[in-house]
Every structure is written in C-alpha cells, then in structure tokens.
Amino acid sequence: MTAGAAEMAPEGTTTDAVRCTDLSYSFGTHTAVDHVDLNIVPGEMYGLLGPNGAGKTTTIRMLTTLLKPATGTVTVFGIDVAARPMLVRRVIGYVPQMLSADANLTGLENVELFARLFDVPRRTRKDLVDGALQAMGLTEAATRLAGTYSGGMIRRLELAQALVNAPRLLVLDEPTVGLDPIARGDVWDYIERLREEHQMTVLMTTHYMDEADAYCDRVSLMHRGTIRATGRPADLRAGLGGGATLDDVFRHYTGDTLDDAQEEGGIRDVRRARRTARRLG
Amino acid sequence: MTYAAPGAPPAASVELPVIRDNPVAGLHRLANRIVTLCWVELRKIRHDRTELYTRAIQPALWLLIYGEVFTRLHAIPMPAGVSYLAYLSPGILAQSALFIAIFYGIQIIWERDAGVLTKLMVTPTPRSALITGKAFAAGVRSLIQGVVVLIIAAILGVAFTDNPLKIIGAMMILVLGSAFFACLSMSIAGLALARDRLMGIGQAITMPLFFSSSALYPTKFMPGWLQAISKVNPLTYEVEALRGLLIGWSTTLWLDTVVLVGATVASITCASLLLPRLANR
Ligand SMILES: Nc1ncnc2c1ncn2[C@@H]1O[C@H](COP(=O)(O)OP(=O)(O)OP(=O)(O)O)[C@@H](O)[C@H]1O
Ligand SMILES: [Mg+2]
C-alpha cells in the first residue's frame, strides 16, 4: 500500500485506484486540463492542489463520469470511466465543490434518496441510512429539513450520502470550503475516521495547504491544466530546502504566474459569483 | 503475473460490484428510479402543502367565474344533456396539470445551480431514467392537484363517471400529459440554460398551448389555422381523452392515448439528450 510499489508497477496493471493517462479537456478554445498523467494507489489520501482555475474540478468531473475526456483515459480500479460509466458510479462517492443538499427534504430523506439511487435493498436500507447519519453525527438533526442546516452540517450530510454506497473511492472537491475552522476540523475528523474504518481511497482538492500537509499521503500541484509536481508533502517541502512550508511549495510552482491565471479565470468566476448571488437573492 | 491485458478483471484485493447489463435489469432499474423520484415528490408535498392550496386558486376561478358565466351565456353550444361546466372541467384539470409540469424545467435548472443535479448524475442512474423519474414525479403532483380540481367541479354540480376503470384511465392520461409537458419544459431548459430566460419562455408558451387546445371550446368553432394548430397540440388529445373518460364525451380514445404516449416518449428522449448540456454548463 505504499506509493513506491505503485510507481514501480508495470504499465497497464489494473491495481491503481485511479489512473489518468494523457487526460485533456477544453471548454471551447480554453484548455482546462492539459495532458495530465496521475495515479492514485488504493488506500491513499491524495490531494490535488492548485490556484483557482487550475483545472482541478474539471479533472474530477471527468473522473466522476460527468465530462467525457477530449483526449486520454481515466480508469477507476481498472474500469475505463468513458466505457463503463455506470459501473464506475457504483464504486465512487462524490462530494462536489458546491455545498449541495436538497433543502426541501430532511437530512434523513436526503440520505435515503441516495440509498435508493444506489439500489440498497429495502431490508438493509434503514439500518444503513441511520448508520451513515450516525457516523456523521447527524442523528439528532436527521428529521429536520436540510434547508435549516449549517454549512458544516450540510458537508457532513453530503458525506453521509456518499457513504451509503460504501464507495471504494471517495472524491471530495474542496470538502472544507466555506466552513469555519471548527467545522473544518470536524469534517476532517470524520473523513479520517471513515478512512480508517473502511480503508477507503480518497481523492480531494483543497486551497488550505495546512490541511493538505496534515492529511494527504501524496499531493499533486496543478497549474493551468498541467501537473507541475507530485510527491509526499514532506518530500516536496524538503525539495525546497530547510524550513519551507507547503505554502512555499505552492507558491514556488504556481506563484509567479498567478496574475495570468486570475485573468483567465476572471470572467467565469464573475459569472459563477453572479449565479450564486442569484440563488441567494 | 502482474501484467494484465486491457479489460482483464481487476486485482483480487478490490472486489467490484457485479452489475447486470441486460434489458430486464435495465427495466427494473428504471422502475426503481421512477418510484424513488415519485417518493421524493410526495415527501416534498408533505413538507410544504401551501403550493397545493395556492395552485388550486386559478382552476377554482376558471370554474367558478368563467365556467359559471359562460354556462349562463350559452355562448358555446353544447349537445343536449351536457352542461358547459361539465365540458370545461376536464379542460381545467388538464390546464392545472400543464402549469405544474411546465414548472419542472425551472426546477431542474434550480437543481443544477444548487449542485443537486450533479450529484444525482453521479449515481448509477441513466440520464433517461432520471428524466423519466422526474416526468412521473410531475405526474404525481398533478394527480394530487387534480383531485382538488375535481372536488371543486363536483361541488359546482358536475357529475363525473363512477366507473373505477375509467377513473384509473383518466389518472393515467393525466400522468402521461404531465410527463410530456414536464419533459418539454426540461428540453427547453436544456436549450435555454438559464432560469430567467426559461421563465420568460415558459410563460410565453403555456397560454398559447392552452388556448390552442380544446380545453375551453370545441375545436370546430376555431378558425382553420387555429384548428390546424390544435391538431398538433398534445394538450388537445389529453383534454379529449379526459372528457371521454370522465364525462362520457365522444372521442377516439385509442388515438388520444397513442398520440400522448408517442409525444411522451419523444420528449423523454429529447430531454435526456439535452441533459448533459444543461448539467455541464
Ligand atoms: N462550464 C465551463 N465552461 C467554460 N469554462 C469553464 C467551465 N468550467 C470550468 N471552466 C474553466 O476551466 C478552467 C478550469 O476550471 P476548474 O473549475 O477545473 O478549476 P479549479 O481548479 O477547480 O478551480 P477552483 O479552485 O476555483 O475550483 C477555468 O479557467 C475555468 O474558467
Ligand atoms: Mg474547483
């Protein structure tokens, strides 16, 4: 279960939890993901880091069957995502970047919906749903409408939704975005516990370098659609010399061109912000 | 031997779910998804009944004011023994279902903006099953609303059939009609992509659909060009079938049913094909 073993494994083995080969995607003329190669070993907690617009979410959307790769392939536990999307969806649990639960259903119903959509048989459904809610500390709030939940509770609810499927691979796109420090710590505690209990492989993105440093076995630094560096956080820090933090590593690989990146992402970010504003208003 | 040919089963350490990819399993899954999404709809109605009451106001006004006045005016000649109010009631029933169904396009855009749609699309639910499930959910809501409309009409003295088979038949027609208009609306959502734009389009098409159908008056009193439009308007066939079943109006029931089933299948196909466009925007 070490990173080294997988790196030495010959091409074409199916043991990787995730393997992206020459993966690209473009929105019109704008290349969001540019010939990315990466592999994630089963059991690993893998972090995809990078500034806004780096292409992290786009990579994840290809991996979760939402977008068809323009070039290259992604496999999840050896299954080609483009060829067998339905099978891949049974293997992964996905928590998207945006906090999202159906506000007009209770927490319990939100989780039961996913149990039903993952074909959990009726006999075991109730226990599984209750178990997932309990594992995320939501038993008390389970019968309240999700519209009344705080941000941290919605994130935990989303984790509970992803859990009913007993996924082999948990994909978390900025799991702690928009949460206060206490809620952030909570969510990480729960994720860590899940990993221990279920030996899940986790792929996540975050903008918080301290989180990546503390929880990830390996990270990749992504910038303008390409992977600039991959390794264990400690190794990457050591590579920059004594006393470097992961923040320094991040800046080293992405900082000098941050202005350009912001320009690129600008219009779309404005559009996104507007959409959010509309939803709230 | 660690080297595996493409398509070979994955390493033994990772057990993958077995899924059956045959037509029977596919139909079973489709039925399951329809039941699940109808269940969601029922839960939502349970949590918030206000919409049920507010949506009853319009049909009540149509029956109570327009219906009563036009019955007294004798402006629209009716065959002997049929009151205009009895003739009008199935039309208003279909109208209230139409208004409910048209809302589903706006709802799916809202779900996209809230991130809920993305998560549904990463469950093992084919796009067509998701759309069909939502279409039937619209049918469930229309049925419940329909009961309210029929009660109002009955209070005003309209005598409906007491044949349970015909009542069940009318329920099925109402569900089919709602499914068609919900998918029409979701298809337009896939083209319009933004909520404000769709709201305008929705308002612009519902009234023309209503007035160009036989909901208010027999098509034989229409000018030629309007008759031609009413012949290709599925709402006409829905209204005629409801009249045939509920008040014994003479109609070719098989033709009405065939048109509605055909239109529904076509619109489900269309909305399913447009769903990725909507989700990936
Ligand atoms: N639906 C879309 N249409 C057009 N361009 C898009 C779309 N989605 C993403 N992009 C663009 O693709 C690039 C990569 O976006 P992506 O969302 O993958 O970045 P990210 O690394 O997840 O950023 P963030 O940290 O802000 O979430 C950005 O420049 C973005 O503007
Ligand atoms: Mg992102």
Side-chain angles (χ1 to χ4, degrees):
Chain A
M1 214 197 69
T2 64
E7 269 150 18
M8 283 183 299
E11 278 292 311
T13 53
T14 50
T15 48
D16 281 343
V18 176
R19 179 183 284 269
C20 301
T21 317
D22 194 34
L23 193 63
S24 303
Y25 194 87
S26 303
F27 293 101
T29 55
H30 175 69
T31 306
V33 175
D34 197 0
H35 301 285
V36 161
D37 294 291
L38 68 85
N39 74 299
I40 301 174
V41 181
E44 188 171 41
M45 170 93 95
Y46 196 95
L48 201 52
L49 315 178
N52 290 130
K56 307 179 296 288
T57 298
T58 308
T59 306
I60 284 182
R61 287 166 71 79
M62 286 190 271
L63 200 143
T64 51
T65 74
L66 287 164
L67 290 176
K68 283 239 181 317
T71 73
T73 53
V74 200
T75 59
V76 174
F77 291 107
I79 316 159
D80 187 331
V81 172
R84 307 214 54 197
M86 292 293 271
L87 186 53
V88 170
R89 290 180 203 150
R90 288 201 184 269
V91 177
I92 58 181
Y94 173 46
V95 178
Q97 184 166 344
M98 188 191 281
L99 286 174
S100 51
D102 201 321
N104 300 315
L105 295 176
T106 64
L108 183 84
E109 288 160 356
N110 265 292
V111 179
E112 181 175 346
L113 167 62
F114 275 69
R116 286 168 178 255
L117 292 177
F118 278 107
D119 297 304
V120 174
R122 193 183 320 201
R123 273 170 287 111
T124 49
R125 201 187 291 149
K126 193 179 176 316
D127 288 345
L128 204 68
V129 169
D130 289 345
L133 282 163
Q134 198 187 354
M136 290 298 121
L138 288 171
T139 307
E140 307 249 295
T143 52
R144 259 167 52 197
L145 290 183
T148 67
Y149 282 20
S150 70
M153 287 166 83
I154 290 184
R155 255 315 181 235
R156 272 147 51 203
L157 180 61
E158 290 190 87
L159 285 168
Q161 287 179 309
L163 273 187
V164 287
N165 181 36
R168 312 291 190 290
L169 173 69
L170 194 56
V171 182
L172 310 171
D173 200 352
E174 298 189 31
T176 53
V177 71
L179 304 189
D180 66 52
I182 311 251
R184 269 172 66 187
D186 267 7
V187 166
W188 280 117
D189 286 347
Y190 283 113
I191 294 172
E192 286 278 277
R193 183 141 19 113
L194 288 181
R195 273 191 75 203
E196 268 164 37
E197 281 169 20
H198 303 277
Q199 275 101 47
M200 248 179 250
T201 310
V202 180
L203 165 61
M204 61 136 198
T205 72
T206 181
H207 285 140
Y208 301 112
M209 291 306 124
D210 53 331
E211 291 183 349
D213 209 352
Y215 300 107
C216 290
D217 297 318
R218 282 194 308 153
V219 298
S220 280
L221 284 159
M222 196 170 186
H223 186 40
R224 293 174 151 207
T226 60
I227 301 237
R228 301 293 167 93
T230 297
R232 296 188 354 223
D235 294 346
L236 290 176
R237 279 190 274 110
L240 277 199
T245 63
L246 202 56
D247 262 320
D248 298 329
V249 176
F250 183 85
R251 236 170 257 126
H252 175 77
Y253 286 104
T254 63
D256 46 322
T257 44
L258 206 63
D259 288 343
D260 292 1
Q262 241 141 25
E263 225 163 86
E264 264 174 40
I267 293 178
R268 177 154 176 85
D269 290 341
V270 168
R271 222 182 339 149
R272 233 187 236 163
R274 240 190 245 143
R275 198 195 271 173
T276 310
R278 216 184 297 140
R279 191 172 61 248
L280 298 175
Chain B
M1 233 200 59
T2 48
Y3 191 89
S13 60
V14 193
E15 340 121 40
L16 291 172
V18 185
I19 57 161
R20 291 167 299 273
D21 260 345
N22 59 53
V24 177
L27 277 179
H28 185 259
R29 189 173 50 206
L30 177 65
N32 176 297
R33 297 304 185 265
I34 291 173
V35 169
T36 298
L37 293 178
C38 289
W39 168 81
V40 166
E41 203 65 20
L42 287 171
R43 300 307 302 182
K44 287 186 180 173
I45 294 174
R46 225 187 132 138
H47 292 312
D48 184 7
R49 293 204 192 83
T50 47
E51 204 186 306
L52 212 57
Y53 304 130
T54 52
R55 279 189 186 277
I57 295 173
Q58 257 207 43
L61 288 177
W62 275 100
L63 290 172
L64 206 66
I65 298 176
Y66 174 88
E68 290 285 356
V69 170
F70 273 69
T71 303
R72 289 199 170 80
L73 275 177
H74 299 288
I76 297 164
M78 286 287 121
V82 182
S83 77
Y84 177 64
L85 203 59
Y87 176 86
L88 179 67
S89 299
I92 298 304
L93 182 64
Q95 182 215 41
S96 101
L98 166 69
F99 284 6
I100 286 174
I102 286 292
F103 181 71
Y104 276 72
I106 295 165
Q107 196 201 47
I108 204 167
I109 289 188
W110 184 86
E111 286 191 1
R112 190 269 321 264
D113 290 348
V116 177
L117 183 63
T118 309
K119 285 202 325 197
L120 293 180
M121 289 177 77
V122 184
T123 64
T125 304
R127 274 59 179 139
S128 55
L130 194 61
I131 292 291
T132 312
K134 288 202 168 287
F136 276 83
V140 164
R141 199 176 266 273
S142 297
L143 271 184
I144 293 177
Q145 196 71 57
V147 173
V148 178
V149 175
L150 288 185
I151 290 175
I152 297 172
I155 292 173
L156 294 178
V158 176
F160 294 108
T161 181
D162 52 12
N163 180 340
L165 286 180
K166 286 189 174 177
I167 291 176
I168 291 173
M171 288 166 72
M172 283 171 17
I173 294 291
L174 198 63
V175 169
L176 266 182
S178 309
F180 167 73
F181 288 113
C183 290
L184 177 70
S185 179
M186 289 189 281
S187 302
I188 298 172
L191 296 171
L193 298 178
R195 209 175 350 154
D196 357 22
R197 221 177 308 162
L198 184 67
M199 278 197 209
I201 300 174
Q203 259 154 21
I205 64 164
T206 41
M207 280 327 218
L209 276 170
F210 177 53
F211 286 121
S212 71
S213 77
S214 63
L216 297 178
Y217 25 67
T219 53
K220 65 179 179 205
F221 301 129
M222 291 177 175
W225 61 270
L226 194 54
Q227 275 189 30
I229 295 177
S230 83
K231 273 221 164 59
V232 294
N233 182 352
L235 190 62
T236 297
Y237 296 89
E238 181 185 349
V239 170
E240 291 302 306
L242 289 174
R243 266 187 198 129
L245 290 162
L246 289 174
I247 64 162
W249 189 257
S250 89
T251 180
T252 23
L253 197 54
W254 70 264
L255 177 67
D256 299 333
T257 312
V258 167
V259 169
L260 278 180
V261 171
T264 305
V265 171
S267 69
I268 287 176
T269 311
C270 190
S272 307
L273 292 175
L274 285 166
L275 185 61
R277 182 184 140 92
L278 178 70
N280 291 332
R281 146 66 168 65

PDB file of all heavy atoms in Angstrom, chain A residues 77-103:
ATOM      1  N   PHE A  77     -10.099   1.869 -10.425  1.00  0.00           N
ATOM      2  CA  PHE A  77      -9.927   0.448 -10.116  1.00  0.00           C
ATOM      3  C   PHE A  77      -9.956  -0.377 -11.397  1.00  0.00           C
ATOM      4  O   PHE A  77     -10.596  -1.425 -11.467  1.00  0.00           O
ATOM      5  CB  PHE A  77     -10.982  -0.037  -9.122  1.00  0.00           C
ATOM      6  CG  PHE A  77     -10.785   0.558  -7.760  1.00  0.00           C
ATOM      7  CD1 PHE A  77     -11.648   1.532  -7.286  1.00  0.00           C
ATOM      8  CD2 PHE A  77      -9.709   0.171  -6.958  1.00  0.00           C
ATOM      9  CE1 PHE A  77     -11.450   2.097  -6.031  1.00  0.00           C
ATOM     10  CE2 PHE A  77      -9.513   0.737  -5.708  1.00  0.00           C
ATOM     11  CZ  PHE A  77     -10.379   1.699  -5.241  1.00  0.00           C
ATOM     12  N   GLY A  78      -9.306   0.132 -12.405  1.00  0.00           N
ATOM     13  CA  GLY A  78      -9.166  -0.610 -13.653  1.00  0.00           C
ATOM     14  C   GLY A  78     -10.331  -0.479 -14.611  1.00  0.00           C
ATOM     15  O   GLY A  78     -10.277  -0.975 -15.727  1.00  0.00           O
ATOM     16  N   ILE A  79     -11.404   0.204 -14.184  1.00  0.00           N
ATOM     17  CA  ILE A  79     -12.559   0.344 -15.070  1.00  0.00           C
ATOM     18  C   ILE A  79     -12.415   1.638 -15.861  1.00  0.00           C
ATOM     19  O   ILE A  79     -12.218   2.704 -15.281  1.00  0.00           O
ATOM     20  CB  ILE A  79     -13.870   0.427 -14.273  1.00  0.00           C
ATOM     21  CG1 ILE A  79     -13.900  -0.606 -13.158  1.00  0.00           C
ATOM     22  CG2 ILE A  79     -15.071   0.273 -15.178  1.00  0.00           C
ATOM     23  CD1 ILE A  79     -14.879  -0.270 -12.061  1.00  0.00           C
ATOM     24  N   ASP A  80     -12.551   1.528 -17.160  1.00  0.00           N
ATOM     25  CA  ASP A  80     -12.464   2.712 -18.004  1.00  0.00           C
ATOM     26  C   ASP A  80     -13.728   3.563 -17.804  1.00  0.00           C
ATOM     27  O   ASP A  80     -14.844   3.116 -18.038  1.00  0.00           O
ATOM     28  CB  ASP A  80     -12.336   2.278 -19.475  1.00  0.00           C
ATOM     29  CG  ASP A  80     -12.080   3.479 -20.376  1.00  0.00           C
ATOM     30  OD1 ASP A  80     -12.533   4.597 -20.028  1.00  0.00           O
ATOM     31  OD2 ASP A  80     -11.435   3.305 -21.422  1.00  0.00           O
ATOM     32  N   VAL A  81     -13.526   4.789 -17.363  1.00  0.00           N
ATOM     33  CA  VAL A  81     -14.655   5.649 -17.000  1.00  0.00           C
ATOM     34  C   VAL A  81     -15.535   5.964 -18.206  1.00  0.00           C
ATOM     35  O   VAL A  81     -16.765   5.975 -18.111  1.00  0.00           O
ATOM     36  CB  VAL A  81     -14.144   6.952 -16.348  1.00  0.00           C
ATOM     37  CG1 VAL A  81     -15.279   7.932 -16.141  1.00  0.00           C
ATOM     38  CG2 VAL A  81     -13.477   6.638 -15.029  1.00  0.00           C
ATOM     39  N   ALA A  82     -14.904   6.213 -19.351  1.00  0.00           N
ATOM     40  CA  ALA A  82     -15.691   6.571 -20.530  1.00  0.00           C
ATOM     41  C   ALA A  82     -16.480   5.372 -21.043  1.00  0.00           C
ATOM     42  O   ALA A  82     -17.601   5.508 -21.512  1.00  0.00           O
ATOM     43  CB  ALA A  82     -14.774   7.112 -21.624  1.00  0.00           C
ATOM     44  N   ALA A  83     -15.906   4.173 -20.908  1.00  0.00           N
ATOM     45  CA  ALA A  83     -16.552   2.993 -21.465  1.00  0.00           C
ATOM     46  C   ALA A  83     -17.637   2.434 -20.541  1.00  0.00           C
ATOM     47  O   ALA A  83     -18.655   1.937 -21.003  1.00  0.00           O
ATOM     48  CB  ALA A  83     -15.507   1.905 -21.766  1.00  0.00           C
ATOM     49  N   ARG A  84     -17.406   2.508 -19.210  1.00  0.00           N
ATOM     50  CA  ARG A  84     -18.373   1.892 -18.297  1.00  0.00           C
ATOM     51  C   ARG A  84     -18.767   2.842 -17.173  1.00  0.00           C
ATOM     52  O   ARG A  84     -18.553   2.552 -15.995  1.00  0.00           O
ATOM     53  CB  ARG A  84     -17.778   0.611 -17.726  1.00  0.00           C
ATOM     54  CG  ARG A  84     -17.268  -0.337 -18.819  1.00  0.00           C
ATOM     55  CD  ARG A  84     -17.438  -1.772 -18.475  1.00  0.00           C
ATOM     56  NE  ARG A  84     -18.801  -2.116 -18.115  1.00  0.00           N
ATOM     57  CZ  ARG A  84     -19.120  -3.230 -17.460  1.00  0.00           C
ATOM     58  NH1 ARG A  84     -18.181  -4.068 -17.093  1.00  0.00           N
ATOM     59  NH2 ARG A  84     -20.372  -3.493 -17.167  1.00  0.00           N
ATOM     60  N   PRO A  85     -19.374   3.959 -17.533  1.00  0.00           N
ATOM     61  CA  PRO A  85     -19.691   4.963 -16.507  1.00  0.00           C
ATOM     62  C   PRO A  85     -20.588   4.424 -15.387  1.00  0.00           C
ATOM     63  O   PRO A  85     -20.400   4.769 -14.223  1.00  0.00           O
ATOM     64  CB  PRO A  85     -20.397   6.081 -17.296  1.00  0.00           C
ATOM     65  CG  PRO A  85     -20.792   5.473 -18.583  1.00  0.00           C
ATOM     66  CD  PRO A  85     -19.817   4.393 -18.872  1.00  0.00           C
ATOM     67  N   MET A  86     -21.550   3.570 -15.724  1.00  0.00           N
ATOM     68  CA  MET A  86     -22.478   3.093 -14.696  1.00  0.00           C
ATOM     69  C   MET A  86     -21.762   2.273 -13.630  1.00  0.00           C
ATOM     70  O   MET A  86     -22.098   2.347 -12.447  1.00  0.00           O
ATOM     71  CB  MET A  86     -23.583   2.253 -15.338  1.00  0.00           C
ATOM     72  CG  MET A  86     -24.507   3.072 -16.193  1.00  0.00           C
ATOM     73  SD  MET A  86     -25.469   4.202 -15.200  1.00  0.00           S
ATOM     74  CE  MET A  86     -26.832   3.155 -14.867  1.00  0.00           C
ATOM     75  N   LEU A  87     -20.785   1.500 -14.062  1.00  0.00           N
ATOM     76  CA  LEU A  87     -20.034   0.688 -13.096  1.00  0.00           C
ATOM     77  C   LEU A  87     -19.165   1.587 -12.214  1.00  0.00           C
ATOM     78  O   LEU A  87     -19.072   1.397 -10.998  1.00  0.00           O
ATOM     79  CB  LEU A  87     -19.194  -0.342 -13.844  1.00  0.00           C
ATOM     80  CG  LEU A  87     -18.455  -1.378 -13.004  1.00  0.00           C
ATOM     81  CD1 LEU A  87     -19.416  -2.084 -12.058  1.00  0.00           C
ATOM     82  CD2 LEU A  87     -17.753  -2.389 -13.892  1.00  0.00           C
ATOM     83  N   VAL A  88     -18.559   2.585 -12.837  1.00  0.00           N
ATOM     84  CA  VAL A  88     -17.704   3.499 -12.079  1.00  0.00           C
ATOM     85  C   VAL A  88     -18.513   4.235 -11.011  1.00  0.00           C
ATOM     86  O   VAL A  88     -18.074   4.403  -9.876  1.00  0.00           O
ATOM     87  CB  VAL A  88     -17.017   4.514 -13.025  1.00  0.00           C
ATOM     88  CG1 VAL A  88     -16.335   5.617 -12.238  1.00  0.00           C
ATOM     89  CG2 VAL A  88     -16.018   3.789 -13.913  1.00  0.00           C
ATOM     90  N   ARG A  89     -19.740   4.623 -11.387  1.00  0.00           N
ATOM     91  CA  ARG A  89     -20.565   5.357 -10.423  1.00  0.00           C
ATOM     92  C   ARG A  89     -20.893   4.517  -9.195  1.00  0.00           C
ATOM     93  O   ARG A  89     -21.174   5.057  -8.133  1.00  0.00           O
ATOM     94  CB  ARG A  89     -21.863   5.819 -11.082  1.00  0.00           C
ATOM     95  CG  ARG A  89     -21.620   6.915 -12.090  1.00  0.00           C
ATOM     96  CD  ARG A  89     -22.915   7.361 -12.716  1.00  0.00           C
ATOM     97  NE  ARG A  89     -22.654   7.979 -14.008  1.00  0.00           N
ATOM     98  CZ  ARG A  89     -23.488   7.960 -15.019  1.00  0.00           C
ATOM     99  NH1 ARG A  89     -24.646   7.350 -14.917  1.00  0.00           N
ATOM    100  NH2 ARG A  89     -23.173   8.549 -16.148  1.00  0.00           N
ATOM    101  N   ARG A  90     -20.874   3.202  -9.344  1.00  0.00           N
ATOM    102  CA  ARG A  90     -21.148   2.347  -8.185  1.00  0.00           C
ATOM    103  C   ARG A  90     -19.952   2.268  -7.248  1.00  0.00           C
ATOM    104  O   ARG A  90     -20.084   1.847  -6.098  1.00  0.00           O
ATOM    105  CB  ARG A  90     -21.521   0.937  -8.639  1.00  0.00           C
ATOM    106  CG  ARG A  90     -22.875   0.893  -9.263  1.00  0.00           C
ATOM    107  CD  ARG A  90     -23.485  -0.483  -9.251  1.00  0.00           C
ATOM    108  NE  ARG A  90     -24.749  -0.435  -9.953  1.00  0.00           N
ATOM    109  CZ  ARG A  90     -25.915  -0.193  -9.370  1.00  0.00           C
ATOM    110  NH1 ARG A  90     -25.976  -0.036  -8.072  1.00  0.00           N
ATOM    111  NH2 ARG A  90     -27.013  -0.129 -10.075  1.00  0.00           N
ATOM    112  N   VAL A  91     -18.797   2.628  -7.750  1.00  0.00           N
ATOM    113  CA  VAL A  91     -17.576   2.452  -6.983  1.00  0.00           C
ATOM    114  C   VAL A  91     -17.167   3.739  -6.268  1.00  0.00           C
ATOM    115  O   VAL A  91     -16.437   3.703  -5.276  1.00  0.00           O
ATOM    116  CB  VAL A  91     -16.452   1.966  -7.933  1.00  0.00           C
ATOM    117  CG1 VAL A  91     -15.145   1.827  -7.201  1.00  0.00           C
ATOM    118  CG2 VAL A  91     -16.844   0.662  -8.584  1.00  0.00           C
ATOM    119  N   ILE A  92     -17.664   4.884  -6.763  1.00  0.00           N
ATOM    120  CA  ILE A  92     -17.204   6.138  -6.177  1.00  0.00           C
ATOM    121  C   ILE A  92     -18.286   6.839  -5.358  1.00  0.00           C
ATOM    122  O   ILE A  92     -19.474   6.660  -5.579  1.00  0.00           O
ATOM    123  CB  ILE A  92     -16.706   7.131  -7.254  1.00  0.00           C
ATOM    124  CG1 ILE A  92     -17.798   7.429  -8.279  1.00  0.00           C
ATOM    125  CG2 ILE A  92     -15.475   6.605  -7.922  1.00  0.00           C
ATOM    126  CD1 ILE A  92     -17.344   8.383  -9.356  1.00  0.00           C
ATOM    127  N   GLY A  93     -17.838   7.620  -4.400  1.00  0.00           N
ATOM    128  CA  GLY A  93     -18.705   8.549  -3.688  1.00  0.00           C
ATOM    129  C   GLY A  93     -18.175   9.939  -4.003  1.00  0.00           C
ATOM    130  O   GLY A  93     -16.964  10.153  -4.003  1.00  0.00           O
ATOM    131  N   TYR A  94     -19.073  10.871  -4.297  1.00  0.00           N
ATOM    132  CA  TYR A  94     -18.634  12.160  -4.796  1.00  0.00           C
ATOM    133  C   TYR A  94     -19.277  13.280  -3.989  1.00  0.00           C
ATOM    134  O   TYR A  94     -20.488  13.323  -3.819  1.00  0.00           O
ATOM    135  CB  TYR A  94     -19.022  12.275  -6.275  1.00  0.00           C
ATOM    136  CG  TYR A  94     -18.786  13.617  -6.921  1.00  0.00           C
ATOM    137  CD1 TYR A  94     -17.595  14.310  -6.739  1.00  0.00           C
ATOM    138  CD2 TYR A  94     -19.751  14.183  -7.748  1.00  0.00           C
ATOM    139  CE1 TYR A  94     -17.385  15.533  -7.355  1.00  0.00           C
ATOM    140  CE2 TYR A  94     -19.552  15.401  -8.374  1.00  0.00           C
ATOM    141  CZ  TYR A  94     -18.362  16.075  -8.172  1.00  0.00           C
ATOM    142  OH  TYR A  94     -18.169  17.280  -8.786  1.00  0.00           O
ATOM    143  N   VAL A  95     -18.447  14.166  -3.467  1.00  0.00           N
ATOM    144  CA  VAL A  95     -18.955  15.352  -2.788  1.00  0.00           C
ATOM    145  C   VAL A  95     -18.448  16.561  -3.567  1.00  0.00           C
ATOM    146  O   VAL A  95     -17.264  16.869  -3.537  1.00  0.00           O
ATOM    147  CB  VAL A  95     -18.471  15.411  -1.325  1.00  0.00           C
ATOM    148  CG1 VAL A  95     -18.965  16.687  -0.661  1.00  0.00           C
ATOM    149  CG2 VAL A  95     -18.978  14.199  -0.557  1.00  0.00           C
ATOM    150  N   PRO A  96     -19.341  17.219  -4.319  1.00  0.00           N
ATOM    151  CA  PRO A  96     -18.887  18.306  -5.190  1.00  0.00           C
ATOM    152  C   PRO A  96     -18.466  19.555  -4.418  1.00  0.00           C
ATOM    153  O   PRO A  96     -18.707  19.669  -3.218  1.00  0.00           O
ATOM    154  CB  PRO A  96     -20.091  18.590  -6.072  1.00  0.00           C
ATOM    155  CG  PRO A  96     -21.259  18.023  -5.379  1.00  0.00           C
ATOM    156  CD  PRO A  96     -20.772  16.966  -4.452  1.00  0.00           C
ATOM    157  N   GLN A  97     -17.829  20.447  -5.163  1.00  0.00           N
ATOM    158  CA  GLN A  97     -17.277  21.663  -4.558  1.00  0.00           C
ATOM    159  C   GLN A  97     -18.366  22.502  -3.890  1.00  0.00           C
ATOM    160  O   GLN A  97     -18.173  23.033  -2.808  1.00  0.00           O
ATOM    161  CB  GLN A  97     -16.591  22.468  -5.665  1.00  0.00           C
ATOM    162  CG  GLN A  97     -15.884  23.713  -5.184  1.00  0.00           C
ATOM    163  CD  GLN A  97     -14.941  24.275  -6.244  1.00  0.00           C
ATOM    164  OE1 GLN A  97     -14.590  23.609  -7.209  1.00  0.00           O
ATOM    165  NE2 GLN A  97     -14.522  25.496  -6.054  1.00  0.00           N
ATOM    166  N   MET A  98     -19.512  22.586  -4.560  1.00  0.00           N
ATOM    167  CA  MET A  98     -20.587  23.426  -4.037  1.00  0.00           C
ATOM    168  C   MET A  98     -21.361  22.682  -2.952  1.00  0.00           C
ATOM    169  O   MET A  98     -21.693  21.518  -3.113  1.00  0.00           O
ATOM    170  CB  MET A  98     -21.518  23.740  -5.208  1.00  0.00           C
ATOM    171  CG  MET A  98     -22.586  24.734  -4.911  1.00  0.00           C
ATOM    172  SD  MET A  98     -23.749  24.739  -6.275  1.00  0.00           S
ATOM    173  CE  MET A  98     -22.857  25.730  -7.446  1.00  0.00           C
ATOM    174  N   LEU A  99     -21.620  23.349  -1.837  1.00  0.00           N
ATOM    175  CA  LEU A  99     -22.452  22.735  -0.799  1.00  0.00           C
ATOM    176  C   LEU A  99     -23.815  22.449  -1.395  1.00  0.00           C
ATOM    177  O   LEU A  99     -24.480  23.356  -1.864  1.00  0.00           O
ATOM    178  CB  LEU A  99     -22.621  23.694   0.381  1.00  0.00           C
ATOM    179  CG  LEU A  99     -21.428  23.900   1.310  1.00  0.00           C
ATOM    180  CD1 LEU A  99     -21.737  24.986   2.311  1.00  0.00           C
ATOM    181  CD2 LEU A  99     -21.062  22.619   2.017  1.00  0.00           C
ATOM    182  N   SER A 100     -24.226  21.184  -1.392  1.00  0.00           N
ATOM    183  CA  SER A 100     -25.464  20.883  -2.087  1.00  0.00           C
ATOM    184  C   SER A 100     -26.222  19.746  -1.437  1.00  0.00           C
ATOM    185  O   SER A 100     -25.763  18.616  -1.405  1.00  0.00           O
ATOM    186  CB  SER A 100     -25.170  20.526  -3.543  1.00  0.00           C
ATOM    187  OG  SER A 100     -24.173  19.539  -3.601  1.00  0.00           O
ATOM    188  N   ALA A 101     -27.387  20.079  -0.902  1.00  0.00           N
ATOM    189  CA  ALA A 101     -28.320  19.066  -0.428  1.00  0.00           C
ATOM    190  C   ALA A 101     -29.696  19.599  -0.776  1.00  0.00           C
ATOM    191  O   ALA A 101     -29.864  20.803  -0.946  1.00  0.00           O
ATOM    192  CB  ALA A 101     -28.185  18.880   1.073  1.00  0.00           C
ATOM    193  N   ASP A 102     -30.660  18.718  -0.908  1.00  0.00           N
ATOM    194  CA  ASP A 102     -31.993  19.182  -1.261  1.00  0.00           C
ATOM    195  C   ASP A 102     -32.636  19.826  -0.044  1.00  0.00           C
ATOM    196  O   ASP A 102     -32.993  19.158   0.922  1.00  0.00           O
ATOM    197  CB  ASP A 102     -32.842  18.017  -1.781  1.00  0.00           C
ATOM    198  CG  ASP A 102     -34.002  18.514  -2.610  1.00  0.00           C
ATOM    199  OD1 ASP A 102     -34.586  19.557  -2.230  1.00  0.00           O
ATOM    200  OD2 ASP A 102     -34.327  17.890  -3.634  1.00  0.00           O
ATOM    201  N   ALA A 103     -32.782  21.150  -0.105  1.00  0.00           N
ATOM    202  CA  ALA A 103     -33.255  21.913   1.051  1.00  0.00           C
ATOM    203  C   ALA A 103     -34.680  21.560   1.440  1.00  0.00           C
ATOM    204  O   ALA A 103     -35.084  21.775   2.582  1.00  0.00           O
ATOM    205  CB  ALA A 103     -33.148  23.406   0.758  1.00  0.00           C
TER     206      ALA A 103
END
